[in-house]
Amino acid sequence: MGTVKNATAISSAVKRAVWERDNGRCIICGAPGNPWCHYIPRSALGLGVEENIVTLCDKCHWQYDQTTLRPAYRRIIEDYLKSKYPSWNPRNLIYHKGG
């Protein structure tokens, strides 16, 4: 899988696929958004794969990363990803050396 940095980065192909999956809209509020929010953050070795990335607007992304809304938003994101990927499992979204 390569280095941690490469594994946690979001490629252009993943951004495009997530953008299309999410219709270019924030999955929390429905505003136009960007496909670059990790469910499991890069700091926790969250992979840059479709199953770990969602589209959020700047406001919701900031609230997810910086406020006490994180647990509620995390549940929304988790439910959304489970609805898109029936076998979704957060344990599969973490970088492991030797990948």
Side-chain angles (χ1 to χ4, degrees):
M1 182 168 280
T3 68
V4 171
K5 184 177 178 182
N6 289 341
T8 61
I10 308 169
S11 70
S12 295
V14 168
K15 286 181 184 178
R16 205 169 22 258
V18 170
W19 173 262
E20 290 174 11
R21 181 197 68 206
D22 300 345
N23 297 311
R25 311 297 283 181
C26 175
I27 67 157
I28 293 173
C29 74
N34 297 299
W36 57 41
C37 178
H38 286 73
Y39 169 77
I40 297 175
R42 290 180 76 165
S43 61
L45 303 181
L47 297 173
V49 296
E50 291 176 43
E51 295 86 349
N52 193 41
I53 307 299
V54 294
T55 301
L56 295 183
C57 68
D58 290 341
K59 179 181 177 185
C60 288
H61 196 176
W62 181 83
Q63 289 175 329
Y64 180 58
D65 284 347
Q66 305 294 328
T67 74
T68 58
L69 290 173
R70 185 173 185 87
Y73 280 14
R74 189 167 172 87
R75 282 189 299 276
I76 292 168
I77 294 168
E78 181 174 330
D79 289 345
Y80 179 80
L81 290 169
K82 284 180 180 178
S83 78
K84 298 295 180 180
Y85 307 99
S87 61
W88 186 85
N89 184 335
R91 287 179 289 230
N92 297 334
L93 306 176
I94 301 169
Y95 174 79
H96 299 282
K97 187 172 182 176

